Amino acid sequence: MAKFFNSVLCFLLIISVALAINQVNAQSRCTEILNPNGCVLYDCKKECFQKRNGNGLCSSAGLGQYVCTCVYNCSLDELNSHN
């Protein structure tokens, strides 16, 4: 009886891991520059959240310049269409 229970438990564990892997692979992280002319962190975060439900960051563009970059979850189809 214990062997049967262990077998069923292992089977259910394998199925749940396989389902979790499919969900993880279904999404990826995308980035979009919202403002290439400068960055005010509060405004960047607000715009990114409203536009993409993401997290806005001030990223360095070199020589002390910063751009507003939005990092958000996207599907693999959307990620491929950006390339």
Side-chain angles (χ1 to χ4, degrees):
M1 181 70 175
K3 285 185 178 182
F4 176 75
F5 179 73
N6 286 340
S7 297
V8 170
L9 188 61
C10 286
F11 176 75
L12 291 175
L13 182 62
I14 290 169
I15 295 298
S16 65
V17 168
L19 291 173
I21 289 172
N22 285 339
Q23 289 178 349
V24 169
N25 287 336
Q27 286 193 343
S28 188
R29 303 289 274 175
C30 291
T31 59
E32 176 183 356
I33 295 177
L34 299 178
N35 185 356
N37 299 320
C39 186
V40 175
L41 185 58
Y42 175 79
D43 295 335
C44 181
K45 285 185 171 292
K46 183 178 175 183
E47 183 180 357
C48 180
F49 184 77
Q50 289 173 344
K51 189 172 184 180
R52 298 282 189 178
N53 196 28
N55 186 29
L57 314 166
C58 291
S59 303
S60 176
L63 300 173
Q65 298 293 321
Y66 290 89
V67 296
C68 176
T69 304
C70 184
V71 180
Y72 60 96
N73 290 330
C74 61
S75 67
L76 291 177
D77 293 334
E78 186 177 353
L79 181 63
N80 290 333
S81 70
H82 285 261
N83 293 331

